[in-house]
Amino acid sequence: QLQLAESGGGLVQAGGSLRLSCAASGRTYSSYAMGWFRQAQGKEREFVSGIRRSGGIVYYADSVKGRFTISRDNAKNTVYLQMNSLKPEDTAVYYCASRFGPVSRAMGDYDYWGQGTQVTVSS
């Protein structure tokens, strides 16, 4: 079993940056693909980014491509989401998730979820 805990959210002005972290506990963290999702108020949860077990291949939603960077440090059991050039429409609760398999853009494919961290971007 894997437990996930996000951190790093907060309030930032448009154009600013934040780095989210997701710390995992569990001996087999490196066996899991990791994903970041977000859910804005009144909207469905959506895929933001994903990274393979080895970290070699990454995926992004079109809305964040070129602005967000996902990475992972398997020695630290942590996955990161560097968010630059933030926009008000990036405001949401951000969740990390893991699955024992390849990266998927479908939230239903993920086995474990963190509690989420709020990101608010002011205009």
Side-chain angles (χ1 to χ4, degrees):
Q1 190 166 351
L2 207 62
Q3 293 181 329
L4 306 174
E6 303 95 336
S7 60
L11 174 63
V12 64
Q13 288 188 333
S17 298
L18 283 173
R19 188 175 82 154
L20 305 183
S21 299
C22 174
S25 60
R27 293 180 296 174
T28 59
Y29 163 77
S30 59
S31 300
Y32 290 82
M34 300 298 296
W36 284 98
F37 289 76
R38 66 185 181 187
Q39 187 167 17
Q41 194 168 7
K43 296 187 177 181
E44 292 186 353
R45 195 170 298 187
E46 64 176 1
F47 174 82
V48 174
S49 183
I51 187 166
R52 286 193 179 184
R53 294 179 298 174
S54 64
I57 298 180
V58 297
Y59 305 83
Y60 297 100
D62 289 343
S63 59
V64 306
K65 201 171 293 183
R67 300 188 297 122
F68 290 11
T69 303
I70 190 171
S71 61
R72 67 189 294 167
D73 185 339
N74 287 345
K76 295 183 178 180
N77 283 9
T78 303
V79 62
Y80 304 96
L81 186 67
Q82 177 67 44
M83 305 186 296
N84 298 329
S85 302
L86 283 161
K87 305 175 181 180
E89 50 264 43
D90 294 318
T91 295
V93 177
Y94 283 71
Y95 299 89
C96 70
S98 64
R99 69 183 305 256
F100 193 71
V103 172
S104 170
R105 295 174 183 263
M107 59 175 289
D109 288 341
Y110 286 78
D111 305 305
Y112 303 105
W113 290 84
Q115 82 287 352
T117 186
Q118 176 71 47
V119 171
T120 303
V121 184
S122 63
S123 57

